[in-house]
Amino acid sequence: MTRGTALVVGASHAGAQVVAGLRQQGWSGRVVLIGDEAVLPYHRPPLSKAYLSGKSAIGELAIRKPDFYAKQEIELRDARVESIERAERRLVMADGRSLSYDKLALCTGGQARRLPVPGADLPGVHYLRTFADVEQIRESAQPGKRAVIVGGGYIGLETAASLLALGLDVTVLEAAERVLMRVTAPEVSAFYERIHREAGVTIRTGALVEAMTGEDRVREVQLAGGERLRADLVVIGVGIEPNTELAAAAGLVVDDGVVIDDNARTSDTDIVAAGDCTSHWMTHYGRRIRLESVPSAGEQAKAAAATMCGKEKTIAALPWFWSDQYDLKLQIAGLSAGYDEILLSGDPTRDRDFTCFYLREQKLIAADCVNRPRDFMRSKQKITEGLEVDRAELVQIAAD
Amino acid sequence: MAAVTFVSHDGEKHEAPLEEGLTLMQVAVDNGVPGIDGDCGGEAACGTCHVVVDAQWADTVGGSGPVEEEMLSMNPERQPTSRLSCQMNVSDGWDGLTVHLPEFQM
Ligand SMILES: Cc1cc2nc3c(=O)[nH]c(=O)nc-3n(C[C@H](O)[C@H](O)[C@H](O)COP(=O)(O)OP(=O)(O)OC[C@H]3O[C@@H](n4cnc5c(N)ncnc54)[C@H](O)[C@@H]3O)c2cc1C
Ligand code: FES
């Protein structure tokens, strides 16, 4: 089978890893990577971090340099795929052309969730998902301007730190009662609120955006209750929607994301999927999860490539994530949802380094490690072992 | 052209051209060397670019920095000459360099 045609839809973290994996696993036939962003696969995380704040250049964003694809005989297609005709094993592009496949990988990722309020389509209101988005933000982000960021998740907070570094006046609006509410313990949220306030960012929680107003571009953000905030630029970071329309229209099983098994296979044995567009049953957590992270996209992509080559590789690695804000490097091991206890090493109300360990039924399930790379690596191992933890040891080794 | 050899856990060799200005991780990724993922893009945040430098090259390429060291210190496959390859800036003087890959990247 490794002599036929393998098509990969979506040219980002997952897609780039699938095509590399296909060659590594011995696929000798044709490999085509189809993407609609008109640029080679690039690292998305720096878009809100080093790249936005001007600390890294565009050349550093490419995941693999251009001649990799040529050397590995991977064809690149700048096109949007409109439909999958499963019976004919064929893809149809927006320009009407079609391509046949023997094996297909869907790596369509996600897109920024739109904020359903009036005025959200005014010039000066941005989302942050793609390289093109950041180019626009960088144009509007002049020193001294007022930036309002809607959403106090990782991307919103990173964007706040980056825009502050560019000399803007920055306000973050979060609808929930604290930032990072969905993903961290209250102590970690309080830590980040403190750090941002100390840096000079205005953080407002419980702030519901009702509308954006302005004539030719955004001038004000209106909150529930009537208050109006001046804004020269708005960045909305309220999560993503997985791109599952292709899969759904083709009749594949979709439940939040494209449903895949441990080998990244969809409900069609000739089609695999990987990355932000997937929903994967994770035995370790006892539920189906749609992860949005580079490491998970890579892990699923490797399994997907192996499956396409008729080999066996299961999705196994522990989920992890990172976030850079100011001088703080947060590394997160595992998923904290469902914890029943936390343990702190260090004092998040005062320090700039600490670890928040998340336990469930005496076992470590996750750790948020701020400037504590050692705790991060150690937690990864402990979570994977799945043994009951010795609390004193956990915090003590952390401190040495 | 100067070249580096990556030796996998089971002895398979991958040679790749060295290019000054890149990190060793980037060289591996650009050449599709299996076993080096570089998940974090070179921020010393993930530890998936671990290599063990051939003993005779250890002095030439130098040792690890502080953050790198903390990341490596908890790694069960850690060797005295372990490095995170994303923290190794390629030099033309490295022609012939050999590095070994651990069984697992973690
Ligand atoms: C600002 C920002 C910061 C982030 N920071 C981090 C971080 O610190 N750590 C971390 O782990 N993760 C981070 N992430 C998340 C990470 O970028 C994603 O998990 C990752 O990009 C997922 O890769 P993917 O290939 O699955 O999907 P995507 O990156 O979404 O790529 C999907 C690609 O498919 C294309 N596509 C979709 N449909 C079609 C079609 N029909 N035809 C052709 N092409 C199509 C899209 O245009 C896109 O190029 C961040 C994301 C953003 C936006
Ligand atoms: S690439 Fe992540 S630590 Fe080197």
Side-chain angles (χ1 to χ4, degrees):
Chain A
M1 175 43 73
T2 54
R3 291 161 172 278
T5 299
L7 300 184
V8 181
V9 185
S12 179
H13 286 279
Q17 183 59 48
V18 170
V19 296
L22 282 169
R23 289 300 185 220
Q24 288 170 355
Q25 304 275 348
W27 186 279
S28 57
R30 190 173 176 211
V31 175
V32 189
L33 178 60
I34 308 161
D36 63 356
E37 279 198 68
V39 278
L40 286 177
Y42 56 88
H43 287 281
R44 240 175 252 289
L47 295 185
S48 51
K49 309 178 178 78
Y51 186 68
L52 178 57
S53 62
K55 270 184 274 171
S56 72
I58 174 158
E60 296 168 41
L61 286 184
I63 293 178
R64 297 172 198 269
K65 62 173 193 270
D67 65 356
F68 165 84
Y69 303 96
K71 274 197 277 187
Q72 300 283 331
E73 295 184 40
I74 291 158
E75 295 171 44
L76 299 166
R77 280 287 172 94
D78 176 10
R80 177 156 185 87
V81 175
E82 284 295 323
S83 63
I84 310 170
E85 297 180 346
R86 284 164 62 199
E88 286 79 35
R89 288 209 240 135
R90 193 165 64 190
L91 293 183
V92 182
M93 319 294 149
D95 65 4
R97 284 198 246 188
S98 64
L99 273 175
S100 296
Y101 63 83
D102 293 290
K103 296 286 175 190
L104 171 65
L106 297 177
C107 303
T108 50
Q111 54 186 294
R113 181 173 295 140
R114 305 282 132 175
L115 193 69
V117 302
D121 51 356
L122 280 169
V125 180
H126 306 274
Y127 291 88
L128 209 181
R129 180 71 188 177
T130 64
F131 177 67
D133 293 335
V134 180
E135 289 305 276
Q136 286 186 10
I137 295 173
R138 296 225 303 185
E139 249 169 57
S140 321
Q142 302 304 324
K145 298 267 186 203
R146 281 165 196 265
V148 171
I149 292 163
V150 183
Y154 288 118
I155 290 179
L157 293 180
E158 289 178 351
T159 303
S162 298
L163 292 182
L164 195 77
L166 291 177
L168 282 84
D169 176 88
V170 183
T171 298
V172 175
L173 303 177
E174 167 57 55
E177 70 199 37
R178 57 184 172 93
V179 301
L180 302 175
M181 176 122 162
R182 208 170 49 92
V183 284
T184 67
E187 288 78 358
V188 180
S189 298
F191 170 80
Y192 277 104
E193 288 175 10
R194 168 174 76 87
I195 294 294
H196 280 277
R197 285 186 176 129
E198 283 174 8
V201 171
T202 305
I203 301 236
R204 307 213 13 197
T205 53
L208 268 177
V209 173
E210 242 173 26
M212 324 254 174
T213 54
E215 300 262 293
D216 49 341
R217 66 177 280 128
V218 67
R219 292 285 168 233
E220 284 183 337
V221 174
Q222 191 183 318
L223 301 181
E227 190 183 346
R228 291 162 173 272
L229 303 175
R230 271 198 46 209
D232 301 307
L233 132 92
V234 175
V235 182
I236 301 174
V238 293
I240 69 159
E241 301 283 1
N243 292 325
T244 55
E245 308 82 359
L246 265 187
L252 297 177
V253 178
V254 172
D255 178 7
D256 186 26
V258 181
V259 172
I260 55 168
D261 67 11
D262 280 346
N263 300 309
R265 215 179 265 115
T266 66
S267 50
D268 179 327
T269 48
D270 291 323
I271 307 179
V272 293
D276 283 15
C277 67
T278 68
S279 174
H280 173 219
W281 174 269
M282 299 184 79
T283 314
H284 189 85
Y285 294 93
R287 62 192 163 101
R288 207 163 36 222
I289 302 180
R290 182 166 58 77
L291 290 170
E292 298 165 9
S293 83
V294 168
S296 155
E299 175 75 3
Q300 294 182 353
K302 279 184 237 166
T307 299
M308 291 169 93
C309 294
K311 297 186 181 173
E312 179 92 6
K313 185 195 175 309
T314 51
I315 302 164
L318 184 78
W320 75 276
F321 193 79
W322 76 94
S323 175
D324 298 336
Q325 296 162 50
Y326 311 106
D327 58 332
L328 306 173
K329 192 182 280 263
L330 167 67
Q331 291 163 292
I332 304 164
L335 300 175
S336 61
Y339 69 92
D340 55 26
E341 183 185 349
I342 65 160
L343 279 178
L344 289 170
S345 163
D347 181 356
T349 65
R350 206 190 54 209
D351 303 340
R352 285 180 94 82
D353 73 287
F354 73 97
T355 294
C356 177
F357 296 101
Y358 296 85
L359 279 60
R360 187 173 65 211
E361 291 163 4
Q362 325 289 330
K363 290 177 187 157
L364 188 65
I365 57 165
D368 292 342
C369 313
V370 176
N371 288 347
R372 291 270 188 106
R374 218 176 222 279
D375 279 355
F376 170 68
M377 293 301 278
R378 207 161 52 95
S379 298
K380 268 186 163 183
Q381 286 165 38
K382 287 223 181 287
I383 297 167
T384 310
E385 282 166 15
L387 304 174
E388 282 194 12
V389 295
D390 173 338
R391 291 175 169 63
E393 187 224 49
L394 202 59
V395 186
Q396 171 236 314
I397 303 190
D400 74 2
Chain B
M1 193 195 257
V4 53
T5 304
F6 296 87
V7 184
S8 75
H9 177 71
D10 46 21
E12 209 177 300
K13 290 185 177 160
H14 286 267
E15 207 183 80
L18 282 171
E19 210 177 299
E20 215 159 330
L22 295 180
T23 65
L24 195 62
M25 179 276 284
Q26 198 62 53
V27 167
V29 171
D30 284 342
N31 288 280
V33 176
I36 296 203
D37 298 344
D39 277 348
C40 72
E43 292 206 31
C46 67
T48 63
C49 64
H50 179 194
V51 298
V52 178
V53 177
D54 204 80
Q56 63 189 65
W57 281 93
D59 288 340
T60 316
V61 305
S64 48
V67 173
E68 186 184 350
E69 186 53 39
E70 286 204 40
M71 289 291 290
L72 286 167
S73 67
M74 298 316 298
N75 194 314
E77 292 189 85
R78 159 93 208 235
Q79 301 288 323
T81 59
S82 284
R83 292 289 313 267
L84 292 179
S85 55
C86 69
Q87 302 303 303
M88 299 169 70
N89 293 313
V90 168
S91 149
D92 274 346
W94 291 6
D95 185 22
L97 172 67
T98 300
V99 299
H100 302 266
L101 303 184
E103 184 172 8
F104 302 105
Q105 292 288 2
M106 63 160 298

